Amino acid sequence: MFATHAAIDTEDKARRGFRLLRILTLIAARLVKAVIVLLLIVVANFLLIHAAPGDPAAVMAGEAGAADEIFIEQLRDRFGLNEPFPVQLWTYLKGVIQLDLGYSYRQQQPVLDLILARLPATLILTMTAFVISLTLGVVLGVVAAARQGTWTDSFVTSLSLLFYATPLYWVALMAVLLFSVQLGWLPGYGYETIGAGYTGLPHVADVAKHLVLPALTLGLFFTAIYMRMTRASMLEVSRMDFVKTARAKGLSPSRVQRRHILRNALLPVVTLAGLQAGQLVGGAVLTETVFAWPGIGRLMFEALAQRDYNLLLGILLISAAVVIIFNIITDVIYTLIDPRIGANA
Amino acid sequence: MSVLSVEHLTIGLPKGADRRHAVKDVSFTIEAGEILCVVGESGSGKSMAANAVMGLLPDLVAVENGRAMFDGKDLFALPERARQALRGDRIAMIFQEPMTALNPLMRIGDQIAEVYDAHGALTPRQRRAKAVALATEVGLPDPEAIVRAYPFQLSGGQRQRAMIAMALALEPDLLIADEPTTALDVTTQAQILSLINDLQRRHGMAVMFITHDFGVVAEIATRVIVMRYGEIVEAGDAATVLNAPRHDYTKRLLEAVPSDVVPAAAAPRETPMLAVDGLTKTFGGKRSLFAKRRVVKAVDDVSFTIAKGEILGLVGESGSGKSTVGRSIVRLVEPDGGSITIDGQEITTLDAAGLRKARRRAQMVFQDPYASLNPRTRVAAAITQGPVAMGTPRKEALADARRLLETVGLDASAADRYPHEFSGGQRQRIGIARALAMRPELIIADEAVSALDVSIQAQILDLLRDLRERFGLSILFITHDLRVAAQLCDRIAVMQQGKLVEMGPAEEVFLRPQDPYTQRLLAAVPGARWSGAATTAASA
């Protein structure tokens, strides 16, 4: 008796080990592909930016008030803009491989430092929006599905349609008008109260207050999508045969809902969450610009306006990398929660 | 005393349904230790009656009148909580589709153990042990391992065994089985039927067994009730109903069952219309850096010919490769090797333009009459699309479509309607009209009658026979049902695991099978030992 149990336990362990190995090979394979994809993205970005009109040297010379040919030519020489195009690309790629994203001549700082300095603000904003939209969207979706056809359902569904259809910048502007200009409840721009010099807990509270409007604005669209997806998916799964099986076993309705319907219904929501998570770094340009939020999005906006090629390329590369990483994470999560996936991969 | 006594059960349908009541004033009893078969075609109300007893009627459908006495109490009068407590404990149910009836994200063992959990029985450790014991009892291979498997790792038959294990968990007094073997291959069906028979005797359960198949009835029923349009038309002992049916409807149903009497084959014909020679098709898993390639030989060196005006039956169970053969002929599947010629023209080497022309000569009719017509396209468009794409003027094609609809036994006005307005049998007729519109010389019917009720099935077989006579069509009739094949075909070819194991005149293959696999297949046909179908058909 004990011998059999021991045998089963070892077998179980072996099985689990095998599964872990399979997931690790999956990740390794995907990472190799990711590196190739990233290099292609760098090249494509490089080509696109150089094909766009506008000359950084001319912009800089203009701002310096010395737009004569000789000065512009000097600038071009200094920044390597006179090198043949393939040489420029090769120099850049060599840097990227060594994790050197170049130097922003506009801001007089290495690109990587600039990005890292802005990253925390963006992550606070996008992660908050992510968490809000995921929880709110799923909860609303479950509620609407459970009360299909009732007043609650119609209300939640119409609300999500509204969130879904309204342009983000408009919502942002209206929110500022209402909550900070009219009512004066919340600050309408910025990351913290400048000059207040808060530290510790008051500082956290101050940032949180500034965070409310941008995070809600950014999260609304995805809240609507999660809600609609969860609702549709719950309704679809609840019509499936195995749900009837579960009821025939004598399970309580709430248990059928949780263990059988919800678990299966959340599978497509995971895909969607992976998509949103991919935008954690690069997806807040509009929101950050409207709310003067000192994050990557605004940095990108500035870089674009100033033809700061190196900085722009750096931001594009980092946000592309984040998208790819979250795609891989989504795939791994999928193999963990759905036994059917990965079995024949 | 009866385990269950249903009295004057009436179930209402929502407004807009094709009739007011799904079930009307139905009364029956089930005794301990007997198997009551409820027989009827689709829409007869047999499943509704079962779901009402179980308390699992769909929303908007409700019991309007009647009682269901179980253990001294009226089930319909009990509060929902009390009914929930009975489900899975005293009354259990198994369903038709084993592929979808299990939660894909839960291990088999957990799904079995969940029954105990729902009713607060046993400790978690005991539940796991019981799950293994039950898996053993229902004959699942390697029970210790299979309780840790997920549903997708099991075959259809194994999943149905797992369902039965769940139903048996708390030793119910009544087991309701709703077409539990309909979706299974015949040999698997035979195993599941004998398992249910066996368990019923061992546990002394009462079983309410719902089916459309009189063969299955002959195999397991103690008593039978026959339902039509929500009413019981005949009830009685299995032997009496099968051998001396009184009601006309029962007689007609029994006549429609493909009988054991094989009709005389047409005279052999000379010119081959289709010649398949050494056909092979291998399906390989994706080759990848990290995994080994899995290879399935779906079709392995298959050769046969069909003469002009001949009907060849291609018979096999799921996975035998019979559909792959059919699809290869019109190159919906690209064959790996061998040759296929239609009236002397080689098909396998044609380029895209040549293939487009050649496809006109061979048309397919598919199994699922619901899925094979675009729901947003009028019937006329569905039929004329092919000819119009081939250059027939639209007006001409439309006139032809109306004529064809009459040819297949529908009204010409059907052309202006949408597929959802038709029944399954009617849609299959539309599918045939669509195939005929291309003026094919060969029709490939892939399980074309498998999804239909027996009486409808018989009509479609008549239609195919008739079309063969009128247009001299050659037909490749692909089916899992040897009996249906014997009714229609001149010759029968039997496939197993990609290979042809036997081929010959229908009568030879059906009455004197040579290959052991064909013999097994025939023996597994439900009701094989029941000669009723043959005599009824002969006397009709």
Side-chain angles (χ1 to χ4, degrees):
Chain A
M1 186 71 194
F2 286 113
T4 21
H5 271 294
I8 292 165
D9 280 350
T10 18
E11 199 184 305
D12 234 23
K13 265 182 208 145
R15 211 179 295 234
R16 246 177 263 146
F18 180 65
R19 195 170 153 79
L20 188 69
L21 188 73
R22 209 167 53 193
I23 290 171
L24 287 178
T25 29
L26 175 92
I27 296 175
R30 295 295 307 268
L31 280 178
V32 172
K33 279 186 199 157
V35 169
I36 299 168
V37 170
L38 264 184
L39 285 178
L40 288 175
I41 288 175
V42 169
V43 173
N45 283 339
F46 203 83
L47 288 172
L48 279 174
I49 284 186
H50 284 260
D55 177 353
V59 176
M60 284 174 90
E63 283 178 10
D68 67 285
E69 282 302 316
I70 301 161
F71 185 62
I72 291 178
E73 204 53 30
Q74 276 175 350
L75 283 175
R76 283 169 169 272
D77 260 357
R78 226 176 95 200
F79 301 141
L81 291 169
N82 278 334
E83 300 282 343
F85 180 75
V87 177
Q88 290 188 37
L89 177 60
W90 177 238
T91 316
Y92 186 70
L93 274 178
K94 265 197 306 199
V96 167
I97 289 166
Q98 295 160 26
L99 291 184
D100 172 10
L101 297 182
Y103 191 81
S104 163
Y105 296 101
R106 302 284 316 184
Q107 314 243 14
Q108 303 291 332
Q109 276 187 62
V111 166
L112 198 59
D113 293 357
L114 278 168
I115 292 177
L116 288 180
R118 296 289 194 99
L119 200 57
T122 291
L123 285 181
I124 288 177
L125 173 61
T126 51
M127 298 267 262
T128 313
F130 178 71
V131 173
I132 289 177
S133 51
L134 188 57
T135 33
L136 199 64
V138 169
V139 169
L140 286 177
V142 169
V143 168
R147 309 195 182 166
Q148 189 201 2
T150 64
W151 191 85
T152 323
D153 180 27
S154 330
F155 178 72
V156 173
T157 314
S158 336
L159 198 68
S160 83
L161 191 64
L162 192 73
F163 291 169
Y164 180 76
T166 320
L168 198 94
Y169 60 88
W170 189 82
V171 176
L173 290 173
M174 292 306 118
V176 171
L177 266 182
L178 182 64
F179 293 106
S180 67
V181 178
Q182 290 289 325
L183 299 170
W185 291 352
L186 293 162
Y189 61 90
Y191 175 75
E192 56 199 337
T193 314
I194 293 166
Y198 292 125
T199 48
L201 222 52
H203 180 242
V204 174
D206 185 43
V207 172
K209 231 160 85 181
H210 282 82
L211 187 60
V212 176
L213 283 182
L216 277 180
T217 308
L218 188 60
L220 280 186
F221 179 74
F222 269 99
T223 308
I225 297 193
Y226 286 127
M227 184 265 140
R228 299 179 74 81
M229 173 87 87
T230 309
R231 178 180 180 274
S233 183
M234 290 278 289
L235 291 178
E236 195 188 318
V237 173
S238 62
R239 279 192 294 270
M240 288 189 174
D241 290 347
F242 64 81
V243 174
K244 199 171 173 191
T245 307
R247 291 174 62 204
K249 283 180 190 172
L251 293 177
S252 68
S254 67
R255 186 134 171 212
V256 173
Q257 195 86 343
R258 270 196 329 272
R259 288 203 60 176
H260 292 273
I261 303 180
L262 187 59
R263 271 192 65 191
N264 280 281
L266 284 182
L267 291 178
V269 176
V270 171
T271 312
L272 204 58
L275 276 180
Q276 193 194 1
Q279 299 188 6
L280 281 179
V281 168
V285 180
L286 218 54
T287 318
E288 288 186 1
T289 311
V290 173
F291 287 100
W293 191 263
I296 303 271
R298 250 184 76 208
L299 189 65
M300 182 165 156
F301 185 72
E302 289 159 16
L304 195 63
Q306 298 167 345
R307 300 287 184 280
D308 193 340
Y309 286 179
N310 278 350
L311 182 53
L312 199 55
L313 281 172
I315 295 174
L316 290 175
L317 175 63
I318 299 273
S319 35
V322 172
V323 171
I324 291 174
I325 288 169
F326 275 101
N327 272 337
I328 296 177
I329 293 179
T330 311
D331 283 359
V332 171
I333 291 180
Y334 244 106
T335 54
L336 290 177
I337 58 177
D338 189 342
R340 288 165 295 186
I341 291 172
N344 30 12
Chain B
M1 201 189 79
S2 309
V3 171
L4 175 75
S5 160
V6 172
E7 296 155 24
H8 307 293
L9 172 63
T10 298
I11 302 173
L13 284 172
K15 281 199 193 87
D18 60 338
R19 59 177 198 254
R20 280 247 316 119
H21 300 287
V23 172
K24 202 172 169 191
D25 197 23
V26 160
S27 303
F28 59 88
T29 60
I30 306 176
E31 312 297 326
E34 77 167 353
I35 298 183
L36 174 75
C37 272
V38 182
V39 193
E41 300 191 286
S42 44
S44 62
K46 56 192 195 301
S47 285
M48 284 292 186
N51 282 318
V53 171
M54 195 66 187
L56 293 178
L57 283 175
D59 298 341
L60 304 174
V61 177
V63 173
E64 282 182 1
N65 193 23
R67 302 196 303 169
M69 299 306 293
F70 179 84
D71 202 13
K73 281 172 281 204
D74 176 13
L75 290 175
F76 300 146
L78 287 178
E80 179 52 32
R81 283 200 85 87
R83 300 206 68 184
Q84 185 191 317
L86 286 176
R87 280 200 288 269
D89 181 5
R90 308 287 309 281
I91 309 176
M93 188 163 181
I94 54 177
F95 304 98
Q96 174 170 355
E97 284 297 336
M99 299 318 253
T100 52
L102 295 166
N103 187 337
L105 303 185
M106 271 173 94
R107 292 174 199 274
I108 299 294
D110 293 341
Q111 300 201 40
I112 298 175
E114 200 181 25
V115 181
Y116 298 111
D117 193 4
H119 297 278
L122 310 178
T123 65
R125 209 188 173 82
Q126 290 171 320
R127 287 172 196 161
R128 272 203 301 277
K130 278 292 273 186
V132 175
L134 281 164
T136 316
E137 186 176 2
V138 297
L140 281 168
D142 198 357
E144 298 273 357
I146 214 157
V147 293
R148 267 191 301 272
Y150 288 97
F152 78 95
Q153 293 163 314
L154 274 60
S155 70
Q158 290 173 338
R159 291 186 208 196
Q160 203 57 291
R161 284 175 196 270
M163 284 292 296
I164 295 172
M166 266 179 236
L168 286 180
L170 288 163
E171 305 253 343
D173 303 312
L174 173 64
L175 174 69
I176 301 175
D178 190 357
E179 303 254 13
T181 59
T182 307
L184 305 173
D185 278 329
V186 275
T187 45
T188 317
Q189 164 167 295
Q191 292 163 11
I192 297 290
L193 285 178
S194 86
L195 174 70
I196 291 177
N197 228 336
D198 205 39
L199 292 171
Q200 182 267 333
R201 236 169 291 152
R202 214 179 313 153
H203 296 267
M205 286 181 298
V207 177
M208 177 177 177
F209 194 105
I210 291 153
T211 181
H212 67 281
D213 187 343
F214 269 106
V216 171
V217 174
E219 207 71 30
I220 61 165
T222 322
R223 279 192 309 125
V224 181
I225 59 181
V226 181
M227 286 185 72
R228 182 181 60 166
Y229 306 142
E231 289 172 74
I232 293 179
V233 296
E234 180 154 2
D237 281 356
T240 318
V241 174
L242 285 171
N243 298 321
R246 274 168 302 143
H247 196 278
D248 280 346
Y249 179 67
T250 317
K251 284 182 194 159
R252 262 190 288 138
L253 273 185
L254 281 165
E255 279 161 22
V257 173
S259 73
D260 290 347
V261 181
V262 180
R269 295 160 212 244
E270 295 306 315
T271 31
M273 175 50 67
L274 171 76
V276 173
D277 191 29
L279 183 70
T280 48
K281 174 69 193 175
T282 312
F283 288 112
K286 247 198 317 190
R287 219 173 324 185
S288 111
L289 211 61
F290 298 93
K292 240 189 286 168
R293 191 167 171 212
R294 272 196 318 198
V295 174
V296 182
K297 271 199 168 170
V299 180
D300 191 359
D301 193 17
V302 167
S303 305
F304 61 87
T305 60
I306 302 181
K308 189 167 166 41
E310 187 187 32
I311 304 181
L312 176 74
L314 190 58
V315 181
E317 296 191 286
S318 50
S320 62
K322 58 188 193 301
S323 287
T324 309
V325 170
R327 288 165 164 266
S328 299
I329 293 168
V330 287
R331 279 182 52 193
L332 284 177
V333 166
E334 288 293 334
D336 293 334
S339 117
I340 296 165
T341 56
I342 297 179
D343 203 13
Q345 182 186 27
E346 178 64 46
I347 299 295
T348 49
T349 52
L350 287 175
D351 60 3
L355 184 60
R356 252 165 64 88
K357 282 209 200 75
R359 271 195 180 141
R360 176 167 204 154
R361 317 180 70 170
Q363 286 295 310
M364 289 199 77
V365 177
F366 296 96
Q367 168 170 8
D368 191 339
Y370 291 90
S372 55
L373 289 168
N374 183 341
R376 296 185 198 284
T377 313
R378 280 180 212 275
V379 167
I383 297 176
T384 55
Q385 252 163 16
V388 168
M390 287 291 190
T392 312
R394 192 170 295 273
K395 227 171 164 171
E396 217 173 281
L398 202 62
D400 189 46
R402 290 177 187 279
R403 273 198 303 278
L404 284 170
L405 284 168
E406 282 175 352
T407 308
V408 297
L410 293 172
D411 199 85
S413 68
D416 306 319
R417 291 155 67 192
Y418 285 94
H420 72 260
E421 300 175 55
F422 297 92
S423 69
Q426 289 172 326
R427 286 187 219 202
Q428 207 56 300
R429 286 173 192 270
I430 295 170
I432 293 169
R434 189 205 55 73
L436 289 176
M438 299 295 274
R439 294 290 178 272
E441 291 140 296
L442 172 70
I443 284 194
I444 299 160
D446 191 354
E447 297 275 16
V449 298
S450 311
L452 305 174
D453 281 327
V454 275
S455 54
I456 311 294
Q457 183 175 320
Q459 292 167 13
I460 299 291
L461 292 182
D462 280 342
L463 173 64
L464 287 176
R465 227 175 265 133
D466 181 47
L467 292 175
R468 182 262 294 267
E469 294 309 323
R470 280 164 69 183
F471 303 113
L473 283 173
S474 306
I475 301 177
L476 176 63
F477 187 81
I478 300 169
T479 180
H480 68 282
D481 193 333
L482 249 176
R483 273 213 274 195
V484 171
Q487 288 307 299
L488 178 70
C489 304
D490 304 315
R491 284 188 303 142
I492 292 178
V494 180
M495 274 187 86
Q496 184 197 16
Q497 289 171 7
K499 287 197 171 70
L500 270 190
V501 294
E502 179 161 7
M503 179 158 59
E507 201 181 302
E508 286 294 317
V509 175
F510 190 65
L511 297 179
R512 289 173 291 280
Q514 299 301 312
D515 186 80
Y517 176 71
T518 317
Q519 289 163 0
R520 272 212 309 282
L521 214 54
L522 262 174
V525 170
R529 289 182 304 276
W530 162 58
S531 55
T535 40
T536 325
S539 66

